[in-house]
Amino acid sequence: MISTRLLVGALVAMGMNIKDPQVHAMARELAARRGTTVTDAVRRALAAELERSPEPSALKLQDAKLQQLLALLGRFSNLRWPDQRTSKELQDALYDDDGLPV
């Protein structure tokens, strides 16, 4: 958890207290592989993950668009062609009982 304190108009982040030895080991390994400090390795890893993770509002918008698309697909699947046959009926007319083209 990051605790912050407002000092003279500047936001100052306090140190993190991570109590998982595996996380510490992973951070040290990443820093060693990149030839940098643990702080820099964690900063870059977090920045990369934040870049990959969409904002919650973007997820809501994406979900809303998906729901609209599914609703449209439901409507279109029930539409009939000019000769009043459904898509399934038209597809079934293309093949015989053995699945061969007519």
Side-chain angles (χ1 to χ4, degrees):
M1 178 185 295
I2 297 177
S3 61
T4 57
R5 193 178 299 160
L6 191 59
L7 296 175
V8 191
L11 190 62
V12 178
M14 305 305 289
M16 296 178 70
N17 184 9
I18 299 173
K19 298 177 182 176
D20 186 335
Q22 184 179 10
V23 173
H24 282 275
M26 290 166 56
R28 285 191 304 272
E29 181 179 345
L30 182 60
R33 286 184 185 188
R34 293 189 174 168
T36 187
T37 65
V38 171
T39 300
D40 188 55
V42 171
R43 179 187 304 112
R44 289 175 187 238
L46 290 172
E49 191 60 29
L50 285 170
E51 186 71 27
R52 288 183 349 156
S53 300
E55 295 274 340
S57 59
L59 289 175
K60 287 180 184 177
L61 179 61
Q62 185 178 16
D63 187 51
K65 287 181 178 182
L66 175 62
Q67 295 306 318
Q68 289 175 342
L69 179 60
L70 291 174
L72 281 174
L73 289 173
R75 286 179 47 209
F76 288 137
S77 68
N78 293 326
L79 290 177
R80 294 187 172 271
W81 290 89
D83 62 1
Q84 295 303 308
R85 291 187 290 172
T86 64
S87 293
K88 170 116 175 65
E89 291 168 337
L90 289 169
Q91 291 174 12
D92 289 345
L94 296 175
Y95 302 97
D96 64 16
D97 294 336
D98 297 321
L100 298 172
V102 205

